[in-house]
Amino acid sequence: MALQTLLDSLNDAQRHAATIPRRHALVLAGAGSGKTRTIIARAAYLIWSGVPADRILILTFTRRAASEIVERVRGVLGDHATELRASTFHTWCMSLLRRAPHTFRAEGVSVIDQDDQLALFRLVRSLRQDVLLPQAAQLASMYSYARNTGQTLTTAIQRQASELLPLKQEIGAALSAYEQHKAEYRYLDYDDVLARVAESMAQSAAIRDWVANHYDHILVDEMQDTNPLQWQLLNPLQRRVTLFCVGDDAQSIYGFRGADFRNVHQFGERVPGSITLRLEQNYRSTQPILDLANWLLEQSPLGYAGRLVAMRGAGVRPRVQTFSNEFEEGRWIAEDCAQRRQEGAAWRDHMILVRSGYIARPIEVALLDRGIPYRFIGGTRLFESAHMRDLLAPLRIVANPRDELAWMRFLTLWPGIGDVHAARIIKRVAPVAAASEGVLGIAAGELPADAHAALRQVHQSQEQVSQAIASAAAALQPVLEARYRNNDWERRRQDFPMVEELARRYTSLLGFIEEYLLNPIWESNVDRLGIEDAVTVITIHSAKGTECRVCYVAGVSPGNYPSARSVDDPDEVEEERRVLYVALTRAQDELIITRRMRSQWSRRSRQNDPAERYLLNDLPRALIDEVFHDGAPPPPAAPAAPAAPAAPADSSFRFGLTID
């Protein structure tokens, strides 16, 4: 029997979870412990035990995961699983709305997807041109966070972009206008779909019973990623439907999107009579890697359950490489990858995990400089970012005055010049520049004065590409700062010195541009050209479910783990501990942690010092091998971090946006 073969392939803990008698259960599945196999085995076991397949609902976070689970169950049971359904929370709620639109007050509504939502936010922004507002995507993100968590707008802004708090009233007015447009045109966005079902069940016992009557069992994958609104969909059903939830409290890392750590950590309190099971046998990593990950969790006051045990046995200890600056860190990573390649390893055997695209920049520069093919998952590549294309536009014009696309990008940076106006200017000046002495042949009156001066400065320094980039950055700073003021400008501007560093060995603008923009086979086109053997650079928030033989966890420095802006919030500090835990547990054979330790860390007063809460303070030397590179001081001794207070008690829900 295929089912028996599947059950025989499970370890004792997985088999026990898959075959428990009917009762609410939370399965805490540690990293690499086979949670997907367990949820598949549970669904197959229920059907084999007599539960009709259409009485089982599996909820996941992606359509791909839903499809994979169903197909694998059908591979075990064949036609017996034909009626099994798995879906995302949104797809499930949409099916309820379409099945009974009158019940959920959804007659005649149109559901708008994320593209439509962004278009509507852009419309709202265009109607408020007198007000400085964030971009449409940022407005949508703050709105969705507030809706899914039941928090106020103030909390949403503080959590996602605290620098925008002075614009709270203007943002609130824009979000109110967005809600008015939805009401007027009978639109429901994705958050409304969930909220409409949850709100209806909260208000009516009859609706709760109607929904519950469709199911005997609900299986939830990645429970740690559920948010308060999704819990409001599950909670009313627990008296009639058996919940089987699989997740890992130690991998709850999406709080910035609204995920609620307490949905897993407080499951036993929220679901009376439930049982908690643990999967602790890890099939991915070696024990020294898991020893470090286990130690990290043990430093938390929250009491994470379980301790991972490696089924692969012993291996090499994790290494900590400490540098004095980020450029040395990036160069060392690139050189280490290249050395391993020379010794016979494939590029794809290397994964570099970063918190953000900003942390990745020095590493990207080093990989590009060494000609190492890489793909970047979860972030925007250096030369594909909008501000970088803006910066390089005048260089492209000086190198090739006929480059109309560069002209268009450059000209539309300046106030008062739109696409039509830019096209007219290009028609006049591009032929002149191409036929005479380049941009120096353009009359001063043909361009805005600052734009003309910017091109002349770049032209004068074109034999030193690094200086040309510095000249462009200085000349464009006012217009770029205005353009990106509410879109991470301070981080963006710090990319410019990285490119200056990369350009130091070039004496030709055209050579630099051709190598890094026009023919970047090792970067932009890796995926498009189907190059399979490439290093993976990946943000940690994109890395769950991934693994690699050799993992570099970069930028694990004081001030980054936890970040200086989150050090005073115990909940955020704990989420950042979980982020680091996820990164460490991606490694199969070798784990390499890189960090920067500047001398000021050891000289500063300990009071209000981000290093005081550094997550690797008091790291036992027996767990790692450490190398201090030239100029890098050893980390300062730090007192044990004070215990964080207990998680706050669960609060009542508010549906819809509260603008305080």
Side-chain angles (χ1 to χ4, degrees):
M1 179 186 296
L3 175 62
Q4 191 59 52
T5 301
L6 173 60
L7 295 178
D8 289 343
S9 71
L10 304 179
N11 62 41
D12 291 343
Q14 293 169 335
R15 191 180 308 109
H16 177 57
T19 60
I20 59 169
R22 179 171 181 172
R23 65 182 299 186
H24 298 305
L26 171 67
V27 180
L28 290 176
S33 64
K35 72 172 183 64
T36 303
R37 287 174 61 82
T38 303
I39 201 169
I40 289 167
R42 179 60 175 171
Y45 177 79
L46 289 174
I47 296 171
W48 177 82
S49 299
V51 178
D54 62 355
R55 302 286 298 173
I56 300 171
L57 172 66
I58 302 174
L59 293 174
T60 71
F61 278 83
T62 66
R63 292 182 179 180
R64 179 178 178 180
S67 176
E68 177 187 356
I69 290 173
V70 169
E71 289 305 312
R72 289 176 64 177
V73 175
R74 289 174 180 169
V76 174
L77 298 181
D79 292 343
H80 296 290
T82 300
E83 299 301 320
L84 180 66
R85 295 291 180 268
S87 67
T88 65
F89 279 87
H90 291 96
T91 303
W92 171 48
C93 288
M94 270 302 308
S95 70
L96 295 174
L97 263 60
R98 295 308 185 201
R99 188 179 298 177
H102 61 285
T103 299
F104 299 102
R105 294 170 289 112
E107 303 99 322
V109 301
S110 297
V111 176
I112 58 175
D113 63 15
Q114 291 176 329
D115 286 343
D116 290 334
Q117 184 185 42
L118 288 177
L120 188 51
F121 270 114
R122 285 194 291 270
L123 173 63
V124 167
R125 289 185 79 255
S126 70
L127 297 176
R128 301 182 58 81
Q129 293 182 350
D130 57 320
V131 176
L132 186 64
L133 286 170
Q135 294 298 310
Q138 198 164 19
L139 287 172
S141 179
M142 288 186 288
Y143 178 79
S144 184
Y145 179 88
R147 294 293 309 281
N148 281 280
T149 61
Q151 300 291 328
T152 65
L153 177 59
T154 298
T155 302
I157 297 175
Q158 286 175 330
R159 188 70 171 89
Q160 295 211 328
S162 58
E163 69 276 8
L164 297 179
L165 275 174
L167 297 176
K168 184 183 72 173
Q169 295 303 321
E170 291 82 356
I171 293 171
L175 300 189
S176 294
Y178 169 75
E179 290 193 324
Q180 291 170 5
H181 274 78
K182 287 194 299 179
E184 181 178 354
Y185 293 100
R186 296 189 60 76
Y187 292 147
L188 294 182
D189 61 31
Y190 281 173
D191 298 327
D192 294 323
V193 170
L194 269 62
R196 186 65 59 93
V197 175
E199 191 176 50
S200 299
M201 287 199 292
Q203 294 172 351
S204 169
I207 295 177
R208 288 196 296 275
D209 291 342
W210 180 81
V211 174
N213 192 52
H214 289 83
Y215 314 105
D216 294 323
H217 297 264
I218 295 180
L219 283 57
V220 184
D221 192 18
E222 303 286 9
M223 183 66 182
Q224 77 280 348
D225 295 337
T226 56
N227 60 43
L229 180 53
Q230 289 161 336
W231 174 247
Q232 287 296 107
L233 292 166
L234 298 173
N235 186 42
L237 304 178
Q238 63 172 284
R239 292 185 179 180
R240 298 276 302 275
V241 180
T242 302
L243 301 178
F244 182 89
C245 302
V246 181
D248 183 5
D249 52 354
Q251 296 190 72
S252 178
I253 63 172
Y254 296 109
F256 68 98
R257 295 181 188 166
D260 190 350
F261 168 76
R262 296 169 298 177
N263 287 352
V264 167
H265 209 62
Q266 296 179 358
F267 187 88
E269 302 168 29
R270 296 183 174 192
V271 185
S274 64
I275 185 174
T276 298
L277 307 172
R278 294 180 176 85
L279 305 182
E280 299 173 352
Q281 292 176 283
N282 176 285
Y283 294 88
R284 175 184 299 147
S285 307
T286 60
Q287 193 60 51
I289 294 170
L290 299 184
D291 286 342
L292 179 56
N294 288 333
W295 171 86
L296 180 66
L297 294 187
E298 288 164 1
Q299 308 314 298
S300 169
L302 294 182
Y304 295 97
R307 181 180 177 85
L308 292 176
V309 177
M311 303 310 293
R312 296 181 57 209
V316 297
R317 290 195 299 187
R319 286 188 287 152
V320 177
Q321 304 284 343
T322 302
F323 304 87
S324 61
N325 62 70
E326 57 269 35
F327 294 104
E328 290 298 323
E329 181 181 21
R331 279 194 288 268
W332 184 89
I333 291 174
E335 289 167 4
D336 195 59
C337 288
Q339 179 63 36
R340 291 168 180 273
R341 169 74 168 183
Q342 290 179 359
E343 294 171 357
W347 292 126
R348 61 177 172 270
D349 291 334
H350 306 81
M351 177 184 288
I352 305 168
L353 296 114
V354 295
R355 284 288 299 274
S356 64
Y358 168 69
I359 297 295
R361 292 309 190 224
I363 301 167
E364 283 192 89
V365 167
L367 294 173
L368 288 165
D369 198 36
R370 290 296 300 262
I372 296 175
Y374 76 97
R375 55 174 56 86
F376 194 171
I377 300 173
T380 302
R381 297 177 176 94
L382 179 63
F383 285 112
E384 292 182 352
S385 55
H387 62 287
M388 194 56 59
R389 291 182 179 274
D390 295 338
L391 176 72
L392 296 182
L395 276 73
R396 291 173 57 182
I397 292 170
V398 170
N400 176 17
R402 296 182 183 276
D403 189 339
E404 291 192 353
L405 295 178
W407 273 111
M408 181 64 72
R409 189 167 197 108
F410 175 70
L411 290 172
T412 54
L413 291 174
W414 304 93
I417 299 182
D419 290 349
V420 174
H421 189 186
R424 292 173 182 158
I425 295 175
I426 294 169
K427 188 174 182 179
R428 293 196 306 269
V429 303
V432 172
S436 59
E437 40 189 330
V439 296
L440 296 182
I442 300 173
E446 294 285 0
L447 302 174
D450 290 341
H452 191 267
L455 290 178
R456 293 184 69 89
Q457 291 171 28
V458 172
H459 184 276
Q460 290 166 3
S461 54
Q462 63 179 305
E463 299 304 320
Q464 293 180 296
V465 180
S466 181
Q467 182 56 48
I469 292 171
S471 298
L476 294 180
Q477 177 165 329
V479 291
L480 294 182
E481 184 174 4
R483 169 169 289 206
Y484 298 110
R485 181 178 298 129
N486 292 326
N487 195 5
D488 218 10
W489 165 243
E490 288 303 318
R491 286 280 180 89
R492 290 175 184 269
R493 70 188 299 179
Q494 293 179 54
D495 284 348
F496 300 156
M498 308 279 184
V499 181
E500 288 181 44
E501 182 77 13
L502 185 63
R504 290 196 185 281
R505 62 186 175 90
Y506 288 87
T507 58
S508 161
L509 280 181
L510 192 57
F512 176 77
I513 290 168
E514 286 178 346
E515 184 151 5
Y516 293 115
L517 288 184
L518 304 183
N519 191 32
I521 292 178
W522 46 82
E523 185 202 1
S524 302
N525 293 333
V526 161
D527 295 322
R528 190 158 52 247
L529 297 179
I531 298 173
E532 295 184 1
D533 192 19
V535 172
T536 296
V537 181
I538 189 168
T539 61
I540 299 170
H541 285 94
S542 301
K544 284 175 61 177
T546 64
E547 57 188 34
C548 195
R549 285 190 57 247
V550 180
C551 285
Y552 305 84
V553 185
V556 188
S557 309
N560 286 347
Y561 286 92
S563 67
R565 63 185 296 176
S566 67
V567 72
D568 294 326
D569 186 329
D571 289 340
E572 290 194 22
V573 169
E574 283 307 309
E575 176 148 330
E576 301 213 353
R577 186 189 307 279
R578 297 191 293 268
V579 168
L580 183 53
Y581 171 83
V582 168
L584 301 181
T585 54
R586 300 308 96 193
Q588 294 174 304
D589 298 333
E590 291 188 62
L591 172 63
I592 302 165
I593 296 169
T594 65
R595 62 182 181 180
R596 302 178 300 281
M597 284 288 186
R598 298 185 176 92
S599 57
Q600 61 261 39
W601 290 118
S602 57
R603 294 198 306 265
R604 281 182 179 173
S605 164
R606 305 301 298 169
Q607 187 175 6
N608 298 322
D609 186 347
E612 184 177 347
R613 297 293 294 273
Y614 180 41
L615 294 178
L616 295 189
N617 281 340
D618 305 320
L619 174 61
R621 295 295 178 257
L623 294 180
I624 61 168
D625 292 323
E626 185 162 17
V627 176
F628 296 96
H629 294 259
D630 290 346
D650 196 15
S651 58
S652 58
F653 255 77
R654 295 181 297 275
F655 294 102
L657 182 65
T658 301
I659 301 175
D660 59 342

